[in-house]
Amino acid sequence: MRRVGDTEGVDVEIFKDWGDPGGGLYYLGKYGHVLSGIAWIGLLYFFNFVQVPAFAEMGADARGEALRKVTWRALWWFRWAAFATFLTGVLMIAILGEDFKADTAGGLGLYFGVILATTMFLNVWGVIWRNQKINIGSANAVAAGGAADPNAPLAAKKAARASRANTLFSIPMLFFMLFSSHWGFHYDEPSGGTGAVAWIIFLVIWAFVEASALGFIGGLDSPFNKQVFDDHRNTLAAGAIFWLVLLFIVFELVIGS
Ligand code: HEM
């Protein structure tokens, strides 16, 4: 046991091997990553499971006020938490360097998680925030006695679709974000063939959901979008299906153990 004042042989563990994959910077980065990740996804779930159904029950005046006072503040934390999550994720990838690769089942799963999360990050800044600015700007104009922006309803719909796509993606995303460190080693290394099949299944579903949410496949009110995105319970069910396909078809069946 070390006595008080006995500094011989003291080395600060968190600063040892600072920049290595198993070192302090990686661990602190991961801590910051998970902390900002829960802030981001917690607010995403608040918007989808609480705010959207509540807004549907509110009158225009109350909704306008809530947009200006609640949503506006929540969106600040939401988009900057997303930014911090992305930045710390990129930091970990930079530290991993050549260790960040998809040649093991765990690595492949982490790639899937990172692609989903990066898509979500781009949806936050490129679609949700861009369009909510228009929507909230309109509520501000009305509150100041002016006219509503005629572009606001379409902007709100675009933001809502991207937000639901993010909710869907979050279900498989977190599972595969944790996968390489905690579960992926149970499976075989993907070979050229099984790896290719795995990538095709993942990329087809991912691209279809994202393109559909952006309105590129039959518009924002396509049958798929209405079925999967109008009700948040269906969004969660679709996210669970995507997750189950990846777990049982891609990893259990195609890659195997
Ligand atoms: C925005 C893009 C993102 C990128 C580029 C990214 C990247 C990464 C990387 C490289 C790791 C390290 C994996 C490992 O050491 O096993 C990681 C871990 C983790 N990420 Fe993300 N991530 C992103 C978003 C998210 C989001 C939105 C969440 C949601 C909470 C999240 C939650 C986690 C968690 C909990 C871990 C720890 C895994 C473990 O137990 O080791 N990440 N992420």
Side-chain angles (χ1 to χ4, degrees):
M1 204 173 70
R2 204 194 303 278
R3 295 224 188 93
V4 177
D6 174 9
T7 52
E8 203 182 322
V10 174
D11 45 9
V12 183
E13 203 59 38
I14 198 82
F15 295 132
K16 266 209 288 182
D17 307 320
W18 175 246
D20 293 348
L25 181 61
Y26 191 82
Y27 185 58
L28 290 176
K30 191 177 268 197
Y31 168 59
H33 184 69
V34 177
L35 202 59
S36 46
I38 59 172
W40 171 15
I41 304 303
L43 284 166
L44 174 73
Y45 290 167
F46 163 77
F47 287 135
N48 277 273
F49 308 152
V50 180
Q51 180 176 285
V52 170
F55 274 16
E57 291 177 2
M58 285 157 80
D61 284 355
R63 196 164 50 230
E65 181 147 25
L67 264 179
R68 293 184 297 114
K69 303 212 171 130
V70 179
T71 311
W72 180 255
R73 286 190 171 90
L75 275 171
W76 188 91
W77 287 96
F78 176 72
R79 67 182 183 279
W80 289 110
F83 187 75
T85 310
F86 179 68
L87 214 65
T88 44
V90 170
L91 171 72
M92 284 187 285
I93 291 171
I95 295 173
L96 286 173
E98 287 177 5
D99 290 346
F100 182 71
K101 51 188 176 207
D103 61 353
T104 60
L108 180 67
L110 182 58
Y111 261 73
F112 290 172
V114 166
I115 290 172
L116 291 170
T118 302
T119 311
M120 293 165 62
F121 167 72
L122 295 173
N123 282 340
V124 167
W125 280 90
V127 186
I128 300 172
W129 172 233
R130 210 150 53 90
N131 284 289
Q132 282 291 36
K133 265 193 297 196
I134 298 171
N135 196 24
I136 295 173
S138 174
N140 281 332
V142 171
D149 183 343
N151 298 318
L154 178 63
K157 172 61 87 52
K158 285 183 181 167
R161 289 301 191 224
S163 186
R164 286 281 151 96
N166 278 8
T167 303
L168 190 161
F169 285 149
S170 72
I171 306 292
M173 179 278 294
L174 192 57
F175 184 84
F176 287 104
M177 193 66 64
L178 297 161
F179 193 74
S180 68
S181 294
H182 301 279
W183 192 250
F185 43 79
H186 290 276
Y187 302 100
D188 291 337
E189 279 193 6
S191 67
T194 60
V197 174
W199 272 111
I200 289 168
I201 294 173
F202 171 78
L203 289 175
V204 165
I205 302 175
W206 163 77
F208 178 82
V209 172
E210 178 65 11
S212 186
L214 295 176
F216 295 154
I217 305 176
L220 290 168
D221 274 325
S222 67
F224 175 86
N225 283 358
K226 287 177 85 66
Q227 176 68 32
V228 170
F229 296 138
D230 274 356
D231 185 325
H232 62 275
R233 284 162 295 201
N234 292 347
T235 310
L236 283 173
I241 292 170
F242 189 7
W243 164 60
L244 288 170
V245 165
L246 292 175
L247 175 58
F248 284 103
I249 299 184
V250 169
F251 282 94
E252 295 286 352
L253 206 69
V254 174
I255 292 175
S257 52

PDB file of all heavy atoms in Angstrom, residues 50-59 63:
ATOM      1  N   VAL A  50     -42.175  12.096 -27.468  1.00  0.00           N
ATOM      2  CA  VAL A  50     -42.901  13.012 -26.582  1.00  0.00           C
ATOM      3  C   VAL A  50     -43.387  14.245 -27.345  1.00  0.00           C
ATOM      4  O   VAL A  50     -44.574  14.552 -27.360  1.00  0.00           O
ATOM      5  CB  VAL A  50     -42.008  13.437 -25.389  1.00  0.00           C
ATOM      6  CG1 VAL A  50     -42.760  14.384 -24.465  1.00  0.00           C
ATOM      7  CG2 VAL A  50     -41.514  12.211 -24.619  1.00  0.00           C
ATOM      8  N   GLN A  51     -42.443  14.957 -27.981  1.00  0.00           N
ATOM      9  CA  GLN A  51     -42.816  16.245 -28.565  1.00  0.00           C
ATOM     10  C   GLN A  51     -43.788  16.105 -29.739  1.00  0.00           C
ATOM     11  O   GLN A  51     -44.786  16.832 -29.800  1.00  0.00           O
ATOM     12  CB  GLN A  51     -41.565  17.004 -29.018  1.00  0.00           C
ATOM     13  CG  GLN A  51     -41.907  18.352 -29.642  1.00  0.00           C
ATOM     14  CD  GLN A  51     -40.697  19.171 -30.006  1.00  0.00           C
ATOM     15  OE1 GLN A  51     -40.041  19.736 -29.134  1.00  0.00           O
ATOM     16  NE2 GLN A  51     -40.390  19.242 -31.293  1.00  0.00           N
ATOM     17  N   VAL A  52     -43.502  15.197 -30.669  1.00  0.00           N
ATOM     18  CA  VAL A  52     -44.363  15.090 -31.856  1.00  0.00           C
ATOM     19  C   VAL A  52     -45.806  14.730 -31.476  1.00  0.00           C
ATOM     20  O   VAL A  52     -46.744  15.423 -31.892  1.00  0.00           O
ATOM     21  CB  VAL A  52     -43.768  14.102 -32.899  1.00  0.00           C
ATOM     22  CG1 VAL A  52     -44.764  13.812 -34.014  1.00  0.00           C
ATOM     23  CG2 VAL A  52     -42.476  14.667 -33.479  1.00  0.00           C
ATOM     24  N   PRO A  53     -46.037  13.686 -30.642  1.00  0.00           N
ATOM     25  CA  PRO A  53     -47.423  13.400 -30.252  1.00  0.00           C
ATOM     26  C   PRO A  53     -48.046  14.546 -29.447  1.00  0.00           C
ATOM     27  O   PRO A  53     -49.233  14.834 -29.597  1.00  0.00           O
ATOM     28  CB  PRO A  53     -47.320  12.132 -29.389  1.00  0.00           C
ATOM     29  CG  PRO A  53     -45.971  11.567 -29.644  1.00  0.00           C
ATOM     30  CD  PRO A  53     -45.099  12.670 -30.128  1.00  0.00           C
ATOM     31  N   ALA A  54     -47.243  15.235 -28.612  1.00  0.00           N
ATOM     32  CA  ALA A  54     -47.797  16.346 -27.829  1.00  0.00           C
ATOM     33  C   ALA A  54     -48.198  17.507 -28.747  1.00  0.00           C
ATOM     34  O   ALA A  54     -49.272  18.079 -28.589  1.00  0.00           O
ATOM     35  CB  ALA A  54     -46.777  16.824 -26.789  1.00  0.00           C
ATOM     36  N   PHE A  55     -47.329  17.820 -29.727  1.00  0.00           N
ATOM     37  CA  PHE A  55     -47.638  18.922 -30.654  1.00  0.00           C
ATOM     38  C   PHE A  55     -48.929  18.646 -31.430  1.00  0.00           C
ATOM     39  O   PHE A  55     -49.675  19.557 -31.747  1.00  0.00           O
ATOM     40  CB  PHE A  55     -46.479  19.137 -31.648  1.00  0.00           C
ATOM     41  CG  PHE A  55     -45.400  20.046 -31.123  1.00  0.00           C
ATOM     42  CD1 PHE A  55     -45.310  20.339 -29.765  1.00  0.00           C
ATOM     43  CD2 PHE A  55     -44.470  20.615 -31.988  1.00  0.00           C
ATOM     44  CE1 PHE A  55     -44.310  21.170 -29.278  1.00  0.00           C
ATOM     45  CE2 PHE A  55     -43.470  21.457 -31.508  1.00  0.00           C
ATOM     46  CZ  PHE A  55     -43.388  21.736 -30.159  1.00  0.00           C
ATOM     47  N   ALA A  56     -49.168  17.359 -31.738  1.00  0.00           N
ATOM     48  CA  ALA A  56     -50.364  17.010 -32.507  1.00  0.00           C
ATOM     49  C   ALA A  56     -51.631  17.328 -31.714  1.00  0.00           C
ATOM     50  O   ALA A  56     -52.687  17.535 -32.292  1.00  0.00           O
ATOM     51  CB  ALA A  56     -50.329  15.532 -32.885  1.00  0.00           C
ATOM     52  N   GLU A  57     -51.497  17.387 -30.383  1.00  0.00           N
ATOM     53  CA  GLU A  57     -52.679  17.662 -29.546  1.00  0.00           C
ATOM     54  C   GLU A  57     -52.795  19.140 -29.182  1.00  0.00           C
ATOM     55  O   GLU A  57     -53.743  19.535 -28.512  1.00  0.00           O
ATOM     56  CB  GLU A  57     -52.591  16.859 -28.233  1.00  0.00           C
ATOM     57  CG  GLU A  57     -52.750  15.375 -28.419  1.00  0.00           C
ATOM     58  CD  GLU A  57     -52.573  14.617 -27.102  1.00  0.00           C
ATOM     59  OE1 GLU A  57     -52.376  15.262 -26.050  1.00  0.00           O
ATOM     60  OE2 GLU A  57     -52.639  13.381 -27.160  1.00  0.00           O
ATOM     61  N   MET A  58     -51.804  19.962 -29.568  1.00  0.00           N
ATOM     62  CA  MET A  58     -51.797  21.362 -29.137  1.00  0.00           C
ATOM     63  C   MET A  58     -52.352  22.273 -30.226  1.00  0.00           C
ATOM     64  O   MET A  58     -52.261  21.981 -31.411  1.00  0.00           O
ATOM     65  CB  MET A  58     -50.349  21.783 -28.793  1.00  0.00           C
ATOM     66  CG  MET A  58     -49.873  21.214 -27.458  1.00  0.00           C
ATOM     67  SD  MET A  58     -48.100  21.116 -27.315  1.00  0.00           S
ATOM     68  CE  MET A  58     -47.652  22.761 -26.914  1.00  0.00           C
ATOM     69  N   GLY A  59     -52.910  23.414 -29.795  1.00  0.00           N
ATOM     70  CA  GLY A  59     -53.358  24.421 -30.748  1.00  0.00           C
ATOM     71  C   GLY A  59     -52.166  25.153 -31.342  1.00  0.00           C
ATOM     72  O   GLY A  59     -51.044  25.051 -30.827  1.00  0.00           O
ATOM     73  N   ARG A  63     -48.394  25.602 -29.745  1.00  0.00           N
ATOM     74  CA  ARG A  63     -47.314  24.929 -30.483  1.00  0.00           C
ATOM     75  C   ARG A  63     -46.242  25.938 -30.884  1.00  0.00           C
ATOM     76  O   ARG A  63     -45.046  25.681 -30.772  1.00  0.00           O
ATOM     77  CB  ARG A  63     -47.897  24.233 -31.714  1.00  0.00           C
ATOM     78  CG  ARG A  63     -46.960  23.222 -32.312  1.00  0.00           C
ATOM     79  CD  ARG A  63     -47.647  22.269 -33.257  1.00  0.00           C
ATOM     80  NE  ARG A  63     -48.464  22.952 -34.240  1.00  0.00           N
ATOM     81  CZ  ARG A  63     -49.732  22.637 -34.498  1.00  0.00           C
ATOM     82  NH1 ARG A  63     -50.316  21.665 -33.858  1.00  0.00           N
ATOM     83  NH2 ARG A  63     -50.416  23.290 -35.408  1.00  0.00           N
TER      84      ARG A  63
END
